């Protein structure tokens, strides 16, 4: 007998459909190239959302945040520790401000000292690892703000501010 894994339902997918004005899967299937049944299976996590599926939903629902959320939940994103955390704008901004204040000067000095000889030796390794961990935490905090912007239509499909003009 084959073992089956229970997939986590991507709750954001149903919300994106509803936000796009599709109260049910039947009307959504007139927009996206999937049957109502397949949309439901994606929303319930019964079948894995592939990167191509995420691209399709993001484009048709006009929700670039679907890509951020999918990437945080894919095997590579989970392995790298990528997260997509919904935070209100004031909280995300305060977190970023605090992390920048604490980390910027300390990390810059630390990395300059380590890079002086171009080698990360055994004595410098724990300090280097701590600096990298801090930068990764800063990246997660930045990602929170990007997710907020994507969720609220403030960035376009390419991840640029929605008000930015496209260059030829």
């Amino acid at each position: 007998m084959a073992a089956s894994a229970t997939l986590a339902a991507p709750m954001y997918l149903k919300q994106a459909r509803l936000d796009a004005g599709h109260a049910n899967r039947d009307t959504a299937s007139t927009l996206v190239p999937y049957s109502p049944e397949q949309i439901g299976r994606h929303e319930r996590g019964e079948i894995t959302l592939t990167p191509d599926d995420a691209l399709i939903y993001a484009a048709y629902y006009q929700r670039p945040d679907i890509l951020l959320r999918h990437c945080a939940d894919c095997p590579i994103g989970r392995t790298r520790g990528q997260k997509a955390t919904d935070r209100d704008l004031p909280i995300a901004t305060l977190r970023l401000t605090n992390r920048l204040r604490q980390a910027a000067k300390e990390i810059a000095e630390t990395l300059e000292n380590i890079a002086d000889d171009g080698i990360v030796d055994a004595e410098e390794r724990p300090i280097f690892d701590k600096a990298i961990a801090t930068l990764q935490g800063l990246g997660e905090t930045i990602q929170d703000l990007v997710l907020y912007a994507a969720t609220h239509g403030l960035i376009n499909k390419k991840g640029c501010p929605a008000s930015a003009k496209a260059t030829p």
Side-chain angles (χ1 to χ4, degrees):
M1 178 154 89
S4 63
T6 303
L7 301 172
M11 302 306 289
Y12 58 87
L13 199 54
K14 179 178 180 180
Q15 189 60 51
R17 172 178 53 82
L18 294 171
D19 291 348
H22 300 285
N24 60 55
R25 295 179 191 109
D26 289 328
T27 61
S29 70
T30 65
L31 179 69
V32 297
Y34 300 125
S35 69
E37 293 79 17
Q38 186 165 0
I39 293 170
R41 292 178 70 203
H42 280 146
E43 289 179 359
R44 291 187 300 272
E46 292 173 2
I47 55 175
T48 302
L49 195 67
T50 67
D52 286 337
D53 295 329
L55 285 166
I56 288 169
Y57 284 116
Y60 283 97
Y61 291 162
Q62 296 182 16
R63 291 286 300 264
D65 60 298
I66 289 173
L67 301 178
L68 296 171
R69 295 170 194 282
H70 173 73
C71 290
D73 195 40
C74 81
I76 294 171
R78 285 193 310 267
T79 301
R80 295 194 67 227
Q82 185 172 351
K83 296 179 182 174
T85 306
D86 283 300
R87 299 190 195 282
D88 290 333
L89 182 59
I91 293 171
T93 302
L94 286 173
R95 286 185 83 232
L96 180 60
T97 302
N98 287 337
R99 285 193 177 206
L100 285 172
R101 282 186 187 135
Q102 293 169 358
K105 185 176 180 182
E106 180 182 323
I107 290 174
E109 290 174 358
T110 298
L111 292 176
E112 283 177 13
N113 290 336
I114 291 172
D116 190 40
D117 62 0
I119 299 170
V120 179
D121 62 35
E123 186 179 309
E124 296 168 327
R125 183 59 193 255
I127 300 165
F128 181 80
D129 289 347
K130 183 180 176 189
I132 294 299
T134 302
L135 289 172
Q136 287 173 325
L138 184 58
E140 288 174 12
T141 304
I142 291 168
Q143 196 70 3
D144 294 348
L145 280 170
V146 171
L147 183 60
Y148 176 88
T151 302
H152 292 84
L154 302 172
I155 62 173
N156 63 24
K157 294 177 197 171
K158 295 183 180 181
C160 300
S163 60
K165 294 184 179 175
T167 55

